[in-house]
Amino acid sequence: MMKKNLLLPLLLLTSGLAAQAQHVDDSLLIRRLADTVLTNGGAYENLRVLTKKIGGRLAGSPATYKAEKWGAEALRRAGADTVYFQDVTVPHWVRGGKDEARIISKRRDFVAPLAVTALGNSNGSGEKGVTAPVIEVKNFEELEARKDEVKGKIVFYNYPFNPRFVETFRAYGDAVRYRGAGASRAAKYGALAVVVRSMSHGTNNFPHTGALHYNDSFPKIPALAIGLEDADRLSARIKADPSLQLFVRTWGKMLPDTLAHNVIGEIRGSEFPDQYITVGGHLDSWDVNEGANDDGTGIVQSIQVLEAFKKLGIQPKHTLRIVLYANEENATNGGREYAKQAKLKGEKHVFALESDAGGFTPRGFSLEVSPEQRGKIASWIPLLEPYGVYTVAAEGAGEDVGYLRPAIGTPVGELEPDSQRYFDLHHAANDVFENVNKREMELGAIEMAALTYLVDKYGL
Amino acid sequence: MMKKNLLLPLLLLTSGLAAQAQHVDDSLLIRRLADTVLTNGGAYENLRVLTKKIGGRLAGSPATYKAEKWGAEALRRAGADTVYFQDVTVPHWVRGGKDEARIISKRRDFVAPLAVTALGNSNGSGEKGVTAPVIEVKNFEELEARKDEVKGKIVFYNYPFNPRFVETFRAYGDAVRYRGAGASRAAKYGALAVVVRSMSHGTNNFPHTGALHYNDSFPKIPALAIGLEDADRLSARIKADPSLQLFVRTWGKMLPDTLAHNVIGEIRGSEFPDQYITVGGHLDSWDVNEGANDDGTGIVQSIQVLEAFKKLGIQPKHTLRIVLYANEENATNGGREYAKQAKLKGEKHVFALESDAGGFTPRGFSLEVSPEQRGKIASWIPLLEPYGVYTVAAEGAGEDVGYLRPAIGTPVGELEPDSQRYFDLHHAANDVFENVNKREMELGAIEMAALTYLVDKYGL
């Protein structure tokens, strides 16, 4: 147990003086934002309703429209002066049934079904399923080297997350190509299906779904993710019986595109109503879980920013726009449409912030901005550090706000929470309300509100 | 989902160059320490055995001695060249039975038993239990103001954790006096028992035990902690029926002091074998859980430091001592004895580090050192930041190493992990193996190994 003598108010004051005297006022205002969020913020209850009452909300599913309706109401309750929908055409993929995989072998100890889930956007095998020998490959290099062995087989990509990456998103970036492109790369050589090691380093056996993208030049074969323990088990069993076969059955189907919506709530700016600061996350999620950390937390944190401004009577100079994006998961059409409309209308966007990396304790903001803008935001770190953010060194921003930069040059950024637990539950059945810590999520909302307040006050 | 372009090796190199060229070598050595821990460190498996095979290990319980035997073996396996026990006289408190609390009221909806646990070191009520009216007080000020109403009643301290403290240990420091001194303060005015709101802000109903200290001048009355939801329920029910009575029954008993041990493993120093760097945590835990974050993680992280040094062939110049302290929870006699012996033997201690704040992602080190020593450690932050530690600003150190400073002036410190989740499970039934994240705990071990390496190399 730690003996703590450090006094937070003292720390705040010191930070304030360390910067300009102006920053003392800012530190006190941000302290009030924090107190509002920590003592009676609506974010956690909003998250409970979104995850427990609505649950998984894959683009085009009935839950999509329940979530949109809930989002509009939540924005109104938070105090938005304008709430509206922006049409977004979205793909409509359905899982269609229960995904299955079983080892077929003379060995009696090989009978247990494997923990699998079909990859998003993948085509089902149909009733009969696929039964074929398995070729396990470590990576694409091995696939290419053994391409003559692939025909008529099921390819098992057993490429693990690299535990050496401290920042887990780097391990994801390194491994995710097997989920995205593995099916078509194998189909090119005549594979009948693929099984991909889940994009995770979790100490559990949950299979992790996520988007696959077929290359239209090759057969669109079934594709599944397998839990880590079962991936290791399958690998060991292939060594024990190289002649074993795998039976896989999935039911995935891409229906015609359908209509969903970005849900937008605004507080009109007092000085520059035609200049926008956007704060948001994505409202859609995968179908296998409650979409709690991906991205329910980003949604309720964004709504919390607006709610906290209203509760404290903070009138932004620029128009504050909270955007609940549609369809990040399997096509990012919500972010594309928002940027496209901003460009068509010639809107001026001061800054766009996203939260889509989980509801964990904040550590920084990653940014896609000019060096001057990064320097300006870095000068605010003494104001942000009491609530967790100590760095803005990372390059990068969220998928959805990311489209604004190439479209109209908007400086964009994303909340950067602790990343260690994210891939334990990302796109898996355990991404549920119970795996969000109330205070960690609230600290993220505080940092988002603080940065929004500073950008609105000082510009970028 | 974040798009990450930042390259960690680049960051490391930059940090290295930003400091002296020497720091490039250090950053690469620390990177190797990190790789060792993250790819094949023994800490997580050690934690599994300690929590799942041995479990709760309150001082004096049979599990105490199983844990000591396991600790000695784990230190040998890790590569300690010397392993020995240091005798520690410890109190031997036993819970003695099932703790109970029930509301007695004419109201039919008041019948459910309350989630309670007797406080450590408290005396039981005996078979008959205590049945009495309840007086709820917000704090000691209200107790003093209403002291004439206390006689013959059960005092309910309903003092909540203050959610405004971002650093949760400050909320604990603010509230814990009701657990430690509440019973005697109430007994002074004739109370028959006390019920204390649990030291937590968790969103659950687990009661949290912990040490109570009786004032010998007053009757040693029964004392229980109550879960947060039931604390709110009890408070509401007292308002609904001010005449309600509470029945409480506990069985706690303080047996004669007994003998336990600090378990110590060493690597003898090559240049200064008679100068010590101590790294440790406490081996004991409360009886109501597995002692996973309090302090199983500190134990396995400390052993991991020694294991990583051996695996990389790092020969410390000073003698590295891993200390698994006895009896932190209900008397801190292990830490006292270690400091007492160090003083008696005139040992020179260069630095002492502790981990006893949970196995969460590290954010800093808190220190009790001279300003010059703090500045020197602060100059190493570029080497530590890639693994989570970005600040050494906090004052304070762990309970156990804390005794070395007054005794022989040793500079002392403690790993400072993210504190948001700690009091959700501290001293409660949910402090179990499953609530430790492997990588978060490993990052803490990396930071401890890195700081130990730097102090050994450069001194303080």
Side-chain angles (χ1 to χ4, degrees), chain B residues 23 272 275-279 317-318 348-354 365-381 384 392 397 401 404-405 409-414 448 450-460:
Chain B
H23 280 205
F272 313 105
Q275 297 184 22
Y276 302 96
I277 296 175
T278 296
V279 177
K317 296 191 290 185
H318 309 82
K348 172 150 182 18
H349 285 250
V350 179
F351 183 59
L353 178 62
E354 178 165 330
F365 284 107
S366 59
L367 303 169
E368 287 181 13
V369 298
S370 72
E372 298 67 27
Q373 291 165 330
R374 190 181 297 271
K376 188 165 190 178
I377 294 172
S379 75
W380 297 330
I381 286 177
L384 306 176
V392 294
V401 300
L404 279 170
R405 191 152 182 78
T410 308
V412 294
E414 181 172 25
M448 292 166 69
L451 182 57
T452 301
Y453 165 78
L454 292 165
V455 170
D456 180 65
K457 182 171 179 181
Y458 297 108
L460 270 188

Side-chain angles (χ1 to χ4, degrees), chain A residues 164-195:
Chain A
R164 299 175 62 259
F165 292 129
V166 173
E167 164 55 70
T168 61
F169 285 90
R170 297 197 56 235
Y172 182 73
D174 173 59
V176 72
R177 60 190 185 275
Y178 296 96
R179 186 190 78 202
S184 293
R185 293 275 302 255
K188 177 182 176 187
Y189 300 125
L192 303 179
V194 298
V195 173

Side-chain angles (χ1 to χ4, degrees), chain B residues 77-152:
Chain B
R77 269 199 313 277
D81 53 42
T82 317
V83 176
Y84 56 98
F85 282 13
Q86 181 176 62
D87 290 354
V88 181
T89 302
V90 299
H92 186 189
W93 181 79
V94 292
R95 185 168 300 277
K98 183 178 183 313
D99 307 315
E100 295 170 89
R102 263 198 322 281
I103 291 169
I104 296 169
S105 162
K106 283 162 249 59
R107 294 280 299 266
R108 307 282 278 317
D109 54 326
F110 283 18
V111 293
L114 299 165
V116 293
T117 181
L119 294 183
N121 303 338
S122 70
N123 290 345
S125 64
E127 183 68 38
K128 277 183 61 270
V130 175
T131 303
V134 183
I135 172 170
E136 174 179 350
V137 296
K138 282 186 303 295
N139 49 40
F140 284 139
E141 293 61 35
E142 183 175 356
L143 178 81
E144 295 303 324
R146 300 175 59 188
K147 58 178 187 287
D148 300 342
E149 305 171 49
V150 170
K151 193 162 193 308

Side-chain angles (χ1 to χ4, degrees), chain A residues 20 22-23 25-26 317-318 350 376 380 383 452-460:
Chain A
Q20 305 95 319
Q22 178 58 73
H23 279 206
D25 300 344
D26 291 332
K317 297 190 290 184
H318 309 83
V350 179
K376 189 164 188 178
W380 297 330
L383 296 166
T452 302
Y453 165 77
L454 292 165
V455 169
D456 180 64
K457 181 171 179 181
Y458 297 109
L460 271 188

Side-chain angles (χ1 to χ4, degrees), chain B residues 38-81:
Chain B
L38 290 168
T39 57
N40 70 341
Y44 195 63
E45 176 58 17
N46 274 342
L47 184 66
R48 194 187 61 76
V49 174
L50 179 60
T51 53
K52 292 299 181 189
K53 306 275 182 191
I54 297 171
R57 43 201 182 276
L58 185 59
S61 67
T64 300
Y65 307 100
K66 283 188 206 154
E68 290 177 354
K69 182 166 178 294
W70 167 86
E73 286 162 3
L75 283 162
R76 281 190 203 92
R77 269 199 313 277
D81 53 42

Side-chain angles (χ1 to χ4, degrees), chain B residues 188-453:
Chain B
K188 177 180 176 188
Y189 300 124
L192 302 180
V194 299
V195 173
V196 183
R197 184 183 180 91
S198 284
M199 302 296 118
S200 177
H201 42 43
T203 53
N204 59 50
N205 197 35
F206 291 105
H208 296 241
T209 189
L212 151 158
H213 305 292
Y214 285 127
N215 176 332
D216 292 335
S217 319
F218 308 109
K220 298 180 175 177
I221 61 175
L224 304 88
I226 182 169
L228 301 194
E229 292 170 1
D230 279 355
D232 295 340
R233 197 170 291 126
L234 177 59
S235 182
R237 286 171 174 192
I238 290 168
K239 287 171 187 58
D241 174 10
S243 73
L244 69 76
Q245 294 199 311
L246 205 57
F247 165 78
V248 301
R249 181 157 59 179
T250 63
W251 307 88
K253 192 172 173 195
M254 192 62 83
L255 304 177
D257 286 354
T258 183
L259 190 68
H261 307 87
N262 291 331
V263 181
I264 302 175
E266 296 182 349
I267 303 178
R268 184 175 167 82
S270 57
E271 288 184 38
F272 313 105
D274 298 338
Q275 297 184 22
Y276 302 96
I277 296 175
T278 296
V279 177
H282 66 84
L283 190 54
D284 64 310
S285 81
W286 282 104
D287 58 324
V288 297
N289 57 36
E290 297 173 1
N293 283 286
D294 187 14
D295 181 26
T297 48
I299 289 295
V300 302
Q301 287 170 323
S302 299
I303 296 170
Q304 179 68 84
V305 171
L306 188 147
E307 181 196 296
F309 272 48
K310 293 298 286 190
K311 280 187 169 162
L312 293 184
I314 299 170
Q315 169 59 59
K317 296 191 290 185
H318 309 82
T319 292
L320 174 61
R321 240 190 216 171
I322 309 302
V323 182
L324 318 183
Y325 298 94
N327 177 231
E328 189 270 348
E329 291 298 357
N330 60 335
T332 66
N333 285 356
R336 289 176 212 270
E337 185 63 26
Y338 183 72
K340 181 178 157 198
Q341 292 301 325
K343 184 172 187 177
L344 282 172
K345 296 171 184 159
E347 291 176 353
K348 172 150 182 18
H349 285 250
V350 179
F351 183 59
L353 178 62
E354 178 165 330
S355 171
D356 184 20
F360 310 105
T361 301
R363 297 184 68 92
F365 284 107
S366 59
L367 303 169
E368 287 181 13
V369 298
S370 72
E372 298 67 27
Q373 291 165 330
R374 190 181 297 271
K376 188 165 190 178
I377 294 172
S379 75
W380 297 330
I381 286 177
L383 296 165
L384 306 176
E385 195 193 358
Y387 313 99
V389 166
Y390 64 90
T391 178
V392 294
E395 273 294 335
E399 291 286 349
D400 288 312
V401 300
Y403 290 105
L404 279 170
R405 191 152 182 78
I408 57 174
T410 308
V412 294
E414 181 172 25
L415 181 68
E416 195 176 16
D418 189 306
S419 73
Q420 298 311 311
R421 282 170 286 151
Y422 193 58
F423 291 99
D424 293 356
L425 41 75
H426 178 249
H427 298 182
N430 57 331
D431 185 12
V432 294
F433 180 69
E434 292 74 9
N435 287 330
V436 175
N437 177 278
K438 179 175 184 287
R439 289 176 55 87
E440 293 184 346
M441 180 270 290
E442 288 172 342
L443 290 175
I446 290 164
E447 294 287 11
M448 292 166 69
L451 182 57
T452 301
Y453 165 78

